[in-house]
Amino acid sequence: MHSYLGVRTALALVVAVIAAAASLVLNGDAQASLIVLVCAAAAVLIAAGGGDPAPAPPPRWSEATREPAIADVVEAIAEPVLVIADNRVEAANQGARELLGEHVLGEDVRVAIRHPAAAERLMRADNGAPGAPIHLVGLGTRDQRWEMRVRTLGDGRRVVHLVDRTGSYAAERMRVDFVANASHELRTPLASMLGYVETLREDAGDDPETRSRFLKIVFGEAQRMQRLIEDLISLSRIEAEKYRVPDKDVDLAELTQQVTVELSGSPRAADLVTQIADVPPVAGDPTQLSQILHNVIGNAMKYGREGTPVTVSLQPEGEAMVRLTVSDEGEGIPAQHLPRLTERFYRVDSGRSRSLGGTGLGLAIVKHIVERHRGRLDIASTVGKGTTVTMLLPVRRLS
Ligand code: ADP
């Protein structure tokens, strides 16, 4: 760019010299020619010295818009944002005031964000680049996790932006825990099977009675693995479909009768009592609704006391819902466990659940299916008396 201007300037100067020489030849007036030469050269140099004006920075506001005050801009952002001038809080939006307190305006920023890692970052000089965000644990409530980003403006003020990462951190933790739990649940029966097969290959395999006993155990462990894998596949299928609301007409009364027939071979089939009212069809996925019934009735049979009734009741709930309840008269569940029962692999008594063939995934599957159907699930229990699981499912709307 510079060398191009230099060549142009030199050419213009040559033209100025030629003009002055022509004037001398044509007029024979050396003084006038000298004036022409000096003026032309000066004009060339002025033009070259000015160059083209530097390209204007891209506009930050449209011409029609008045530049908004910075406090208005930060107020429009939902996440907490602070503007810092000379280490004092010059502006704090509503999100920041709710998190740090109404009093933060004008305060020293280290006092406003009472967190050692934040104070250390804010005291560090920076070059205006955004830099890596830092993570703050325990700002607001003890379990909250925030990401803090600091950006220096052209005039030296700094913008502190806090992003709530509590939800994504919890989701990541759940994912990691789930993989660890699933691996552990699969490894346990596998290790047992390998152990028995190894023993059978040695001397124990020669004794028909021992062989038959060991093979029965291996078969049982293989079935346990199969149940677990089937439940894991069910869970991932339901999760994959969770945003697709099921819309088939399902007659829950008919489906409940069908499930009770399917369960008629189970040891507690005689305890099953059904109270089925006339209910409108629900909008659903028949396979998943049948799975709900199997899991909840199965639990009531497993954990209810032998010889006491397991009652399945179906009633209308207003105009828009159908209420499905399954009650047992078992030992019940202590209140502190109730909120966690639908977590994957959560069991009140792991030994008991495993000995009864439980995978720890039944109620997690129920919860996901009910959510996919836009329904509601409630588990109520009294220790010593029994448990009632209630599901409300939306009636199919006639369009
Ligand atoms: P599991 O395969 O272990 O039965 P679930 O997810 O179906 O897993 O249930 C989770 C836990 O909730 C069970 O391990 C059990 O401790 C408890 N639970 C579920 N239903 C009942 C019930 N009807 N009565 C007592 N405890 C129950």
Side-chain angles (χ1 to χ4, degrees):
M1 187 79 177
H2 280 293
S3 65
Y4 173 69
L5 280 178
V7 170
R8 266 201 336 187
T9 308
L11 279 174
L13 283 170
V14 169
V15 172
V17 171
I18 291 169
S23 161
L24 182 64
V25 170
L26 291 174
N27 301 325
D29 187 342
Q31 227 173 4
S33 301
L34 195 61
I35 291 168
V36 168
L37 178 64
V38 170
C39 290
V44 167
L45 291 173
I46 287 166
D52 286 335
R60 296 170 67 194
W61 324 106
S62 80
E63 270 176 32
T65 317
R66 184 176 57 85
E67 180 176 335
I70 198 156
D72 292 343
V73 175
V74 298
E75 199 60 58
I77 302 169
E79 289 158 335
V81 177
L82 301 161
V83 180
I84 313 296
D86 297 328
N87 288 335
R88 299 219 158 256
V89 178
E90 188 187 81
N93 70 355
Q94 192 185 347
R97 295 193 305 273
E98 277 170 11
L99 176 67
L100 305 169
E102 289 291 335
H103 51 81
V104 290
L105 275 177
E107 259 184 10
D108 186 306
V109 65
R110 287 163 297 183
V111 179
I113 310 177
R114 284 176 194 281
H115 197 287
E120 195 269 326
R121 167 69 186 86
L122 290 163
M123 285 308 102
R124 208 185 320 142
D126 58 49
N127 56 8
I134 63 159
H135 301 276
L136 309 177
V137 184
L139 192 65
T141 62
R142 202 158 52 87
D143 299 327
Q144 259 181 314
R145 287 168 184 269
W146 295 89
E147 193 176 276
M148 185 179 91
R149 294 166 182 274
V150 183
R151 186 78 189 245
T152 305
L153 303 178
D155 60 6
R157 285 183 296 176
R158 286 185 296 168
V159 177
V160 177
H161 183 192
L162 292 158
V163 184
D164 190 351
R165 294 281 180 225
T166 317
S168 50
Y169 181 84
E172 177 60 13
R173 258 238 77 81
M174 265 174 69
R175 193 189 63 77
V176 170
D177 287 352
F178 174 64
V179 172
N181 284 333
S183 318
H184 174 76
E185 295 282 342
L186 286 168
R187 204 177 50 185
T188 313
L190 188 61
S192 158
M193 281 157 69
L194 287 173
Y196 280 103
V197 169
E198 193 61 30
T199 322
L200 278 171
R201 284 175 62 197
E202 292 159 10
D203 300 344
D206 299 338
D207 173 25
E209 198 196 315
T210 315
R211 194 173 58 221
S212 147
R213 194 159 47 87
F214 281 13
L215 281 175
K216 197 171 162 217
I217 297 172
V218 170
F219 186 64
E221 294 293 330
Q223 281 183 315
R224 183 169 149 199
M225 275 187 94
Q226 190 184 29
R227 275 197 302 275
L228 194 62
I229 290 166
E230 275 166 5
D231 275 0
L232 287 169
I233 292 172
S234 278
L235 253 185
S236 74
R237 257 203 218 120
I238 301 159
E239 285 210 309
E241 290 183 329
K242 79 174 176 194
Y243 297 113
R244 210 151 46 80
V245 185
D247 60 355
K248 287 212 175 77
D249 269 359
V250 182
D251 181 342
L252 267 185
E254 198 184 300
L255 194 67
T256 309
Q257 297 289 12
Q258 196 182 313
V259 171
T260 52
V261 171
E262 284 162 12
L263 289 169
S264 59
S266 65
R268 293 201 52 204
D271 298 332
L272 208 52
V273 179
T274 50
Q275 298 170 345
I276 298 177
D278 201 13
V279 290
V282 298
D285 176 323
T287 313
Q288 290 188 353
L289 292 174
S290 162
Q291 200 172 2
I292 285 189
L293 284 161
H294 272 282
N295 288 3
V296 180
I297 300 173
N299 276 352
M301 286 176 157
K302 271 191 309 195
Y303 301 107
R305 254 189 304 277
E306 197 78 46
T308 58
V310 166
T311 310
V312 183
S313 138
L314 194 60
Q315 306 290 331
E317 173 83 6
E319 302 260 291
M321 297 284 215
V322 170
R323 171 190 288 263
L324 172 66
T325 58
V326 178
S327 310
D328 64 66
E329 295 179 16
E331 284 167 23
I333 306 163
Q336 72 270 23
H337 295 289
L338 292 177
R340 299 196 60 189
L341 290 181
T342 54
E343 285 176 21
R344 294 149 189 202
F345 299 117
Y346 189 86
R347 294 152 160 132
V348 178
D349 178 344
S350 301
R352 178 141 188 245
S353 155
R354 287 205 178 89
S355 67
L356 294 167
T359 59
L361 293 173
L363 288 179
I365 291 175
V366 170
K367 180 187 115 170
H368 279 87
I369 295 178
V370 171
E371 278 177 359
R372 185 178 170 223
H373 283 75
R374 307 295 184 261
R376 283 200 338 249
L377 170 70
D378 178 62
I379 304 172
S381 191
T382 310
V383 175
K385 286 207 162 149
T387 303
T388 299
V389 179
T390 305
M391 286 148 289
L392 293 179
L393 294 162
V395 165
R396 179 159 176 76
R397 285 181 197 287
L398 298 172
S399 47

